């Protein structure tokens, strides 16, 4: 039957059969972040549009072309309408929340992580969606390159734990406003000579922010950018020393990397360190993680001057890479017991026992369809229940039933009275133990 409307272009549904893949990544991300001292932060899906204009930057693709913005009635009648935007990324919202709630006045560094949906009006293709998901981490307060190394180590550790070994780390430094002035001048001179060949957007970038041209997706502009001056030749002493320390710290931790002077990142707020983790395994959209330092952002958003840095990982791209690599996903929880029943009294008893076991944390099912015994057992098989019990008049009368191990066919007599939960859990422990032994053998 046709549905009245399909999902919006560039969005995805995650069905129950594959949600364990998402949970594998999300849980591993949360656990890894917590080992590194990062705590979860949650913030709204939409923010005032000006937050993204100010942080991500007016000259970026994200702000110029990709934002989903709505104009909504003002809270106070008569005032100008308010402009909201669905978050295209997490750094701005996390920083806004940290400043607004006084988090940055507490002991530094403050370290937060988030798992969020983001929205960008882009051309959908493999690894590029209009609603996508990010695992992000941000650290506020440290100017030191050891913080950059720690943040990169967190991303690397998560990739390792997910089994993604074929992902390469590229780092660069894009300097501070001080060193960038000289660099902008050199870039302008270079691109000015070839202005006739640049795309219209890059012509505008040439005036407002020439570094953005390096990030243009047009093959012609990319070709021209190939021989452009590189920022590393223009770093001031401080930025240069910072970059050297980062390289040493990464080497100390055994994290291998390459330097790519062409990485400038698509968002305006970055300073000094920028980095990307890239895989060749999933086609053109191979950047699974991008991040860097943004020492001016907190102040730009109204907070006290405070250095900060972070990264975001695209969860869809991580999943694609994992599938490609044949990585293991944590399997969905298995049904421990199906309690089948014959007749209304038995169905009611089954519901009570089911409820009791569920309250103890077991995964138990019983009939809610009013079906006969045969289709109930078929269903129990289909959902892969470890054990089954069949309740009928006889079982209700004697207070005992047969617990059947569905894999071995073995049957055990158990009480369905007072000691039901204890007897069932003993049987389940034995089964889990044997199952484990079998997998070891
Ligand atoms: P790209 O160059 O691929 O457009 P970006 O520089 O715009 O990436 P960031 O803003 O740094 O990306 O976002 C961090 C990560 O989020 C990216 O490395 C990528 O894994 C993921 N990501 C960004 N945009 C999308 C999208 N439209 N669909 C799916 N994942 C995305
Ligand atoms: Mg992009």
């Amino acid at each position: 039957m046709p549905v009245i409307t399909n999902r919006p272009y560039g969005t995805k549904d995650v069905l129950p059969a594959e949600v364990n893949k998402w949970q594998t990544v999300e849980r591993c991300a949360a656990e890894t972040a917590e080992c590194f001292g990062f705590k979860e932060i949650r913030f709204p899906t939409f923010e005032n549009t000006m937050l993204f204009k100010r942080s991500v930057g007016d000259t970026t693709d994200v702000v110029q072309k990709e934002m989903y913005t709505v104009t909504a009635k003002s809270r106070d009648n008569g005032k100008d309408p308010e402009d909201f935007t669905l978050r295209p990324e997490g750094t701005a919202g996390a920083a806004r929340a940290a400043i607004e709630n006084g988090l940055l006045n507490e002991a530094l560094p403050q370290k937060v992580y988030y798992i969020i949906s983001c929205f960008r009006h882009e051309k959908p293709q493999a690894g590029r969606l209009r609603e996508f998901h990010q695992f992000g981490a941000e650290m506020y307060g440290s100017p030191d390159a050891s913080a950059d190394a720690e943040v990169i180590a967190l991303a690397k550790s998560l990739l390792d734990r997910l089994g993604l070994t074929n992902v390469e780390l590229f780092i660069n430094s894009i300097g501070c406003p001080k060193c960038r002035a000289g660099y902008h001048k050199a870039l302008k001179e270079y691109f000015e000579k070839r202005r006739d060949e640049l795309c219209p957007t890059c012509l505008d970038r040439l005036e407002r922010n020439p570094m953005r041209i390096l990030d243009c997706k047009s093959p012609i502009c990319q070709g021209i950018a190939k021989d452009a001056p590189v920022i590393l030749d223009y770093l001031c002493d401080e930025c240069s020393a910072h970059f050297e320390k980062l390289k040493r710290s990464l080497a100390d931790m055994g994290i291998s990397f390459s330097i790519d002077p062409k990485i400038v990142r698509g968002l305006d707020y970055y300073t000094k360190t920028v980095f990307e983790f890239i895989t060749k395994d999933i086609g053109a959209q191979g950047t699974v993680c991008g991040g860097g330092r943004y020492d001016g952002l907190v102040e730009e958003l109204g907070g006290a001057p405070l250095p900060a840095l972070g990264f975001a990982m695209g969860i869809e791209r991580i999943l694609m890479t994992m599938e490609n690599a044949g990585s293991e996903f944590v399997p969905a929880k298995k049904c421990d017991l199906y309690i089948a029943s014959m007749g209304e009294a038995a169905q009611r008893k089954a519901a009570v026992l089911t409820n009791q076991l569920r309250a103890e944390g077991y995964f138990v099912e019983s009939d809610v369809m009013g079906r006969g015994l045969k289709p109930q057992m078929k269903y129990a098989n289909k959902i892969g229940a470890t054990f089954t019990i069949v309740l009928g008049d006889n079982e209700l009368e004697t207070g005992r039933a047969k617990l059947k191990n569905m894999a071995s066919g073995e049957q055990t007599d158990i009480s369905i009275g007072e000691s039901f939960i204890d007897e069932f859990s003993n049987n389940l422990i034995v089964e889990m133990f044997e199952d484990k032994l079998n997998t070891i053998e």
Side-chain angles (χ1 to χ4, degrees):
M1 233 194 309
V3 63
I4 63 159
T5 177
N6 293 106
R7 64 176 182 266
Y9 188 44
T11 65
K12 266 195 177 155
D13 301 310
V14 179
L15 299 180
E18 54 176 359
V19 82
N20 69 308
K21 296 181 178 179
W22 282 79
Q23 289 169 341
T24 302
V25 174
E26 288 162 358
R27 286 176 188 159
C28 190
E31 270 171 29
T32 312
E34 277 158 23
C35 287
F36 278 74
F38 287 70
K39 295 210 162 67
E40 188 178 356
I41 187 166
R42 298 187 186 199
F43 44 87
T45 308
F46 61 93
E47 298 274 356
N48 283 304
T49 301
M50 62 95 82
L51 178 75
F52 301 116
K53 285 195 174 162
R54 279 290 275 280
S55 54
V56 175
D58 262 341
T59 56
T60 58
D61 274 359
V62 172
V63 168
Q64 286 190 338
K65 305 182 195 159
E66 298 170 4
M67 294 208 303
Y68 283 97
T69 299
V70 293
T71 309
K73 248 193 238 159
S74 158
R75 270 174 304 177
D76 309 312
N77 280 338
K79 267 204 170 171
D80 286 343
E82 293 179 279
D83 233 9
F84 297 111
T85 293
L86 290 177
R87 60 184 170 211
E89 54 101 61
T91 300
R96 198 260 322 127
I99 299 166
E100 187 170 336
N101 296 287
L103 204 66
L104 307 182
N105 305 327
E106 293 173 23
L108 297 175
Q110 282 293 318
K111 307 197 249 185
V112 297
Y113 76 90
Y114 47 83
I115 297 170
I116 59 170
S117 50
C118 298
F119 307 85
R120 295 186 192 178
H121 191 86
E122 303 200 71
K123 191 162 165 259
Q125 52 201 285
R128 194 176 292 289
L129 291 145
R130 290 187 170 174
E131 181 188 23
F132 63 100
H133 297 79
Q134 284 188 343
F135 161 65
E138 316 284 350
M139 189 197 300
Y140 307 100
S142 169
D144 197 80
S146 55
D148 307 43
E150 186 175 294
V151 161
I152 291 174
L154 164 57
K156 170 74 179 146
S157 175
L158 175 57
L159 294 170
D160 285 349
R161 287 176 70 168
L162 293 173
L164 300 181
T165 44
N166 202 13
V167 178
E168 280 181 84
L169 168 63
F170 295 90
I171 62 170
N172 189 24
S173 172
I174 55 171
C176 63
K178 239 185 334 175
C179 26
R180 229 175 282 164
Y183 181 56
H184 275 184
K185 202 162 150 255
L187 270 186
K188 238 178 159 157
E189 273 166 24
Y190 173 83
F191 284 118
E192 199 65 61
K193 284 189 202 129
R194 303 186 64 175
R195 75 177 291 137
D196 297 349
E197 300 162 66
L198 294 174
C199 75
T201 322
C202 281
L203 275 180
D204 180 51
R205 290 170 172 148
L206 184 57
E207 299 311 320
R208 297 168 67 187
N209 189 352
M211 240 168 82
R212 283 272 73 80
I213 302 176
L214 302 177
D215 209 29
C216 182
K217 300 275 190 295
S218 131
I220 298 174
C221 298
Q222 277 181 5
I224 302 170
K226 235 192 213 126
D227 302 317
V230 296
I231 177 81
L232 289 178
D233 295 335
Y234 293 80
L235 292 187
C236 66
D237 290 348
E238 190 201 323
C239 289
S240 190
H242 186 96
F243 195 47
E244 290 308 311
K245 181 166 180 187
L246 169 63
K247 289 191 273 182
R248 279 197 305 274
S249 306
L250 290 175
D252 288 346
M253 289 192 277
I255 298 176
S256 39
F257 60 89
S258 311
I259 295 167
D260 179 355
K262 286 282 182 292
I263 300 179
V264 291
R265 312 283 310 120
L267 315 170
D268 263 357
Y269 45 61
Y270 288 110
T271 51
K272 293 185 176 152
T273 310
V274 286
F275 61 91
E276 291 184 346
F277 283 89
I278 299 180
T279 175
K280 292 199 184 79
D281 295 346
I282 55 168
Q285 268 40 262
T287 308
V288 294
C289 174
R293 184 169 270 285
Y294 47 90
D295 287 346
L297 183 67
V298 173
E299 189 179 12
E300 177 77 27
L301 296 183
L306 196 69
L309 66 160
F311 68 76
M313 241 180 225
I315 299 182
E316 284 83 357
R317 292 186 196 177
I318 293 284
L319 285 170
M320 281 167 71
T321 316
M322 288 177 75
E323 278 167 357
N324 198 285
S327 302
E328 294 225 356
F329 294 98
V330 177
K333 199 169 155 65
K334 231 179 131 194
C335 179
D336 297 316
L337 172 66
Y338 185 91
I339 308 180
S341 54
M342 292 181 291
E344 198 194 319
Q347 190 197 29
R348 284 170 52 200
K349 176 74 175 173
V352 170
L353 296 179
T354 299
N355 204 37
Q356 283 172 351
L357 280 180
R358 285 175 176 168
E360 298 293 319
Y362 296 103
F363 176 3
V364 186
E365 293 279 19
S366 52
D367 180 53
V368 289
M369 299 288 290
R371 285 196 281 231
L373 183 60
K374 218 169 150 195
Q376 284 185 50
M377 293 311 286
K378 204 170 153 193
Y379 183 74
N381 249 319
K382 192 154 189 200
I383 62 173
T386 304
F387 288 101
T388 55
I389 287 176
V390 178
L391 298 184
D393 291 344
N394 195 23
E395 284 75 14
L396 296 190
E397 224 162 82
T398 58
R400 304 201 68 81
K402 293 264 183 288
L403 180 73
K404 182 175 176 186
N405 182 322
M406 295 295 276
S408 65
E410 204 178 305
Q411 303 214 25
T412 319
D413 184 71
I414 72 165
S415 158
I416 52 169
E418 288 268 291
S419 58
F420 173 64
I421 293 177
D422 285 346
E423 288 188 36
F424 173 71
S425 69
N426 286 341
N427 276 280
L428 189 65
I429 290 167
V430 171
E431 160 60 24
M432 277 166 20
F433 185 67
E434 281 174 359
D435 198 41
K436 205 97 260 136
L437 274 185
N438 286 339
T439 50
I440 293 168
E441 278 162 9

